[in-house]
PDB file of all heavy atoms in Angstrom:
ATOM      1  N   PHE A1083     -17.345   6.788 -12.142  1.00 89.00           N
ATOM      2  CA  PHE A1083     -18.250   6.613 -13.277  1.00 89.00           C
ATOM      3  C   PHE A1083     -19.609   6.102 -12.827  1.00 89.00           C
ATOM      4  O   PHE A1083     -20.641   6.579 -13.294  1.00 89.00           O
ATOM      5  CB  PHE A1083     -17.638   5.667 -14.315  1.00 89.00           C
ATOM      6  CG  PHE A1083     -16.642   6.338 -15.204  1.00 89.00           C
ATOM      7  CD1 PHE A1083     -15.320   6.483 -14.813  1.00 89.00           C
ATOM      8  CD2 PHE A1083     -17.017   6.835 -16.435  1.00 89.00           C
ATOM      9  CE1 PHE A1083     -14.395   7.103 -15.630  1.00 89.00           C
ATOM     10  CE2 PHE A1083     -16.108   7.463 -17.270  1.00 89.00           C
ATOM     11  CZ  PHE A1083     -14.785   7.601 -16.862  1.00 89.00           C
ATOM     12  N   MET A1088     -22.930   6.381 -15.036  1.00 82.00           N
ATOM     13  CA  MET A1088     -22.260   5.720 -16.153  1.00 82.00           C
ATOM     14  C   MET A1088     -21.690   4.420 -15.585  1.00 82.00           C
ATOM     15  O   MET A1088     -21.554   4.257 -14.386  1.00 82.00           O
ATOM     16  CB  MET A1088     -21.136   6.606 -16.677  1.00 82.00           C
ATOM     17  CG  MET A1088     -21.622   7.968 -17.118  1.00 82.00           C
ATOM     18  SD  MET A1088     -20.362   9.258 -17.095  1.00 82.00           S
ATOM     19  CE  MET A1088     -19.131   8.649 -18.186  1.00 82.00           C
ATOM     20  N   GLY A1089     -21.343   3.512 -16.415  1.00 66.00           N
ATOM     21  CA  GLY A1089     -20.710   2.312 -15.908  1.00 66.00           C
ATOM     22  C   GLY A1089     -21.652   1.168 -15.643  1.00 66.00           C
ATOM     23  O   GLY A1089     -21.274   0.191 -15.030  1.00 66.00           O
ATOM     24  N   TYR A1090     -22.878   1.310 -16.070  1.00 56.00           N
ATOM     25  CA  TYR A1090     -23.799   0.190 -15.966  1.00 56.00           C
ATOM     26  C   TYR A1090     -24.028  -0.343 -17.360  1.00 56.00           C
ATOM     27  O   TYR A1090     -24.236   0.438 -18.283  1.00 56.00           O
ATOM     28  CB  TYR A1090     -25.126   0.633 -15.341  1.00 56.00           C
ATOM     29  CG  TYR A1090     -24.971   0.951 -13.881  1.00 56.00           C
ATOM     30  CD1 TYR A1090     -24.824   2.245 -13.445  1.00 56.00           C
ATOM     31  CD2 TYR A1090     -24.934  -0.071 -12.954  1.00 56.00           C
ATOM     32  CE1 TYR A1090     -24.651   2.524 -12.104  1.00 56.00           C
ATOM     33  CE2 TYR A1090     -24.764   0.201 -11.616  1.00 56.00           C
ATOM     34  CZ  TYR A1090     -24.620   1.498 -11.198  1.00 56.00           C
ATOM     35  OH  TYR A1090     -24.442   1.762  -9.882  1.00 56.00           O
ATOM     36  N   PRO A1091     -23.961  -1.618 -17.602  1.00 56.00           N
ATOM     37  CA  PRO A1091     -23.782  -2.692 -16.621  1.00 56.00           C
ATOM     38  C   PRO A1091     -22.375  -2.692 -16.036  1.00 56.00           C
ATOM     39  O   PRO A1091     -21.501  -1.956 -16.481  1.00 56.00           O
ATOM     40  CB  PRO A1091     -24.036  -3.951 -17.434  1.00 56.00           C
ATOM     41  CG  PRO A1091     -23.665  -3.586 -18.828  1.00 56.00           C
ATOM     42  CD  PRO A1091     -24.016  -2.124 -18.966  1.00 56.00           C
ATOM     43  N   ASP A1092     -22.148  -3.539 -15.069  1.00 64.00           N
ATOM     44  CA  ASP A1092     -20.899  -3.542 -14.318  1.00 64.00           C
ATOM     45  C   ASP A1092     -19.670  -3.914 -15.137  1.00 64.00           C
ATOM     46  O   ASP A1092     -18.558  -3.766 -14.664  1.00 64.00           O
ATOM     47  CB  ASP A1092     -20.998  -4.477 -13.103  1.00 64.00           C
ATOM     48  CG  ASP A1092     -21.825  -3.857 -11.995  1.00 64.00           C
ATOM     49  OD1 ASP A1092     -21.845  -2.609 -11.893  1.00 64.00           O
ATOM     50  OD2 ASP A1092     -22.452  -4.617 -11.249  1.00 64.00           O
ATOM     51  N   ASP A1093     -19.851  -4.384 -16.342  1.00 67.00           N
ATOM     52  CA  ASP A1093     -18.677  -4.736 -17.132  1.00 67.00           C
ATOM     53  C   ASP A1093     -18.093  -3.533 -17.875  1.00 67.00           C
ATOM     54  O   ASP A1093     -17.157  -3.666 -18.633  1.00 67.00           O
ATOM     55  CB  ASP A1093     -18.985  -5.873 -18.104  1.00 67.00           C
ATOM     56  CG  ASP A1093     -20.053  -5.519 -19.127  1.00 67.00           C
ATOM     57  OD1 ASP A1093     -20.631  -4.419 -19.061  1.00 67.00           O
ATOM     58  OD2 ASP A1093     -20.303  -6.366 -19.996  1.00 67.00           O
ATOM     59  N   PHE A1094     -18.610  -2.328 -17.622  1.00 67.00           N
ATOM     60  CA  PHE A1094     -18.051  -1.117 -18.213  1.00 67.00           C
ATOM     61  C   PHE A1094     -16.608  -0.951 -17.744  1.00 67.00           C
ATOM     62  O   PHE A1094     -16.312  -1.097 -16.565  1.00 67.00           O
ATOM     63  CB  PHE A1094     -18.875   0.101 -17.782  1.00 67.00           C
ATOM     64  CG  PHE A1094     -18.307   1.410 -18.247  1.00 67.00           C
ATOM     65  CD1 PHE A1094     -18.486   1.840 -19.541  1.00 67.00           C
ATOM     66  CD2 PHE A1094     -17.585   2.210 -17.378  1.00 67.00           C
ATOM     67  CE1 PHE A1094     -17.969   3.047 -19.964  1.00 67.00           C
ATOM     68  CE2 PHE A1094     -17.062   3.419 -17.784  1.00 67.00           C
ATOM     69  CZ  PHE A1094     -17.254   3.834 -19.092  1.00 67.00           C
ATOM     70  N   ASP A1095     -15.706  -0.678 -18.647  1.00 73.00           N
ATOM     71  CA  ASP A1095     -14.298  -0.505 -18.297  1.00 73.00           C
ATOM     72  C   ASP A1095     -13.913   0.956 -18.488  1.00 73.00           C
ATOM     73  O   ASP A1095     -13.797   1.422 -19.615  1.00 73.00           O
ATOM     74  CB  ASP A1095     -13.429  -1.399 -19.169  1.00 73.00           C
ATOM     75  CG  ASP A1095     -11.995  -1.443 -18.704  1.00 73.00           C
ATOM     76  OD1 ASP A1095     -11.554  -0.519 -17.981  1.00 73.00           O
ATOM     77  OD2 ASP A1095     -11.302  -2.407 -19.057  1.00 73.00           O
ATOM     78  N   PRO A1096     -13.711   1.703 -17.379  1.00 72.00           N
ATOM     79  CA  PRO A1096     -13.410   3.127 -17.500  1.00 72.00           C
ATOM     80  C   PRO A1096     -12.091   3.408 -18.206  1.00 72.00           C
ATOM     81  O   PRO A1096     -11.859   4.524 -18.663  1.00 72.00           O
ATOM     82  CB  PRO A1096     -13.365   3.617 -16.049  1.00 72.00           C
ATOM     83  CG  PRO A1096     -13.102   2.415 -15.241  1.00 72.00           C
ATOM     84  CD  PRO A1096     -13.748   1.274 -15.990  1.00 72.00           C
TER      85      PRO A1096
END
Side-chain angles (χ1 to χ4, degrees):
F1083 280 84
M1088 302 156 59
Y1090 289 99
D1092 285 331
D1093 62 356
F1094 175 79
D1095 190 339

